[in-house]
Amino acid sequence: MGNQVLIKTSFFTDFYLNDLLCCQMIYRHCKKAETMDSNNKKPKHSIVWRDQPESHDYPAASSYLCLLLPPSQVEKLLSQLQVETITQFKAKDIFRAAQLPLLDEHNFHVVRDLSKIEQSKALSPLLLVRDLGKRHLIIADGYHRLCAVYLHDEDALIPCQIISLTVQDLANV
C-alpha cells in the first residue's frame, strides 16, 4: 500500500513537472511568435512613422481626389487635412472601411515600403477621407504604405490624418 502511494505521488509529480515544462515551452513560443512575421521566417521590425505627412503627400492626395471630386471641393478637403491632428487606426480596420484589395509583394511600391519597414526608415502617415454619404473610406494618399504595413502586421496601428466629407459638402459644390 505504501508503495502504491509512492507511485501515485511520483505520477502526479511527473505530471505536474511535465505540465509546467509544457507551459514554459508554450510561453516561450508565444513570446517568440510576437516578434515573428506571419510565415514565422524572420523577426518583425517595429514600424517607424514620421510625425507628419511629407510635403509631397498632399499634392499626391489632391491628384487622386480630383479624379473623384470637383477641384474646389478638393482644395477645401486638403486645407482641412493639413491642419487635422494625427490619429491611429489598425491596418485591418482601414482596409475594411476602404473596401480595397490588398496589393502583395509583387507590387513595386509595396516592396519599397516593406523595405523601408525592414530598414527602420520612417513612413509617412496616411491621408484619409470619410465619405459619410457612401459610408466609405477614401485613401487619399498612402495605399501602398497601407498594403505594406498590413502584410507586415495587420494589427499595426497606422497614424493618419482623417477628415469627413458629408452629403451637404457635396451639395454645396
Side-chain angles (χ1 to χ4, degrees):
M1 182 116 186
N3 195 15
Q4 219 174 9
V5 171
L6 182 61
I7 292 171
K8 285 185 179 177
T9 304
S10 176
F11 170 77
F12 285 115
T13 303
D14 288 347
F15 182 77
Y16 173 76
L17 287 175
N18 284 338
D19 203 28
L20 183 63
L21 289 172
C22 186
C23 287
Q24 287 175 340
M25 286 174 37
I26 291 170
Y27 175 78
R28 274 190 242 122
H29 177 73
C30 289
K31 290 306 268 181
K32 187 177 179 183
E34 286 177 0
T35 62
M36 300 296 279
D37 73 5
S38 58
N39 297 323
N40 287 336
K41 292 182 182 173
K42 58 185 176 183
K44 281 186 184 177
H45 298 275
S46 60
I47 303 170
V48 180
W49 293 99
R50 295 175 57 86
D51 292 333
Q52 294 293 319
E54 295 182 72
S55 58
H56 65 84
D57 292 338
Y58 295 105
S62 174
S63 176
Y64 177 72
L65 291 172
C66 279
L67 295 170
L68 304 173
L69 302 165
S72 60
Q73 185 65 46
V74 172
E75 284 180 33
K76 290 178 189 174
L77 291 175
L78 285 178
S79 297
Q80 293 172 14
L81 268 174
Q82 289 173 342
V83 297
E84 190 60 41
T85 58
I86 300 287
T87 187
Q88 295 183 335
F89 297 95
K90 286 187 177 185
K92 63 185 177 184
D93 294 335
I94 296 171
F95 257 114
R96 288 173 53 206
Q99 302 171 8
L100 292 171
L102 173 65
L103 301 176
D104 63 14
E105 299 93 354
H106 300 292
N107 181 283
F108 170 79
H109 299 287
V110 173
V111 170
R112 184 189 63 203
D113 289 330
L114 281 168
S115 176
K116 286 181 181 180
I117 292 170
E118 290 175 8
Q119 295 172 21
S120 296
K121 291 185 178 177
L123 298 176
S124 189
L126 305 186
L127 301 178
L128 307 175
V129 178
R130 281 187 201 101
D131 185 340
L132 297 178
K134 295 181 181 178
R135 298 202 185 283
H136 176 76
L137 182 69
I138 300 169
I139 301 175
D141 184 67
Y143 178 44
H144 297 99
R145 289 189 298 279
L146 171 62
C147 292
V149 170
Y150 184 93
L151 289 170
H152 179 74
D153 179 6
E154 69 183 37
D155 290 316
L157 288 172
I158 300 180
C160 313
Q161 284 181 313
I162 185 168
I163 56 169
S164 295
L165 176 66
T166 66
V167 175
Q168 292 82 10
D169 292 334
L170 292 173
N172 294 334
V173 174

